[in-house]
Amino acid sequence: VDDCLIAGPQDYVKQEKQKIMVMFKCDELGTMDKYAGCKVEQDLKEQSTELSESKFSATINVNICSGEVSFRR
């Protein structure tokens, strides 16, 4: 099993997802709440996604529109 994450504007995500699903057998799992062992929280209003790994007590925040990335322990 391999995981794939596509992030970006909604139209882009839909387009890329369709391409991948033609090439590989895929399951659509819906809105992501975990990825690669990290907890995922999305704020649609702020257009940001936060990945938290409690094992390392670190958080990465990515703002999709501005491309801003922040990291905190």
Side-chain angles (χ1 to χ4, degrees), residues 1-59:
V1 173
D2 289 319
D3 294 331
C4 179
L5 170 65
I6 304 170
Q10 190 173 13
D11 290 340
Y12 169 80
V13 170
K14 285 181 181 180
Q15 179 183 16
E16 294 304 307
K17 186 170 71 173
Q18 287 175 345
K19 289 179 189 176
I20 290 171
M21 292 182 91
V22 167
M23 294 188 302
F24 304 100
K25 181 182 181 292
C26 301
D27 295 318
E28 172 58 59
L29 301 177
T31 304
M32 171 180 53
D33 61 353
K34 291 182 194 169
Y35 183 74
C38 294
K39 178 180 175 186
V40 177
E41 295 181 75
Q42 297 178 342
D43 185 333
L44 299 178
K45 184 178 178 185
E46 294 294 322
Q47 296 183 331
S48 67
T49 300
E50 187 169 285
L51 299 151
S52 301
E53 173 46 91
S54 60
K55 183 176 179 181
F56 300 109
S57 300
T59 299

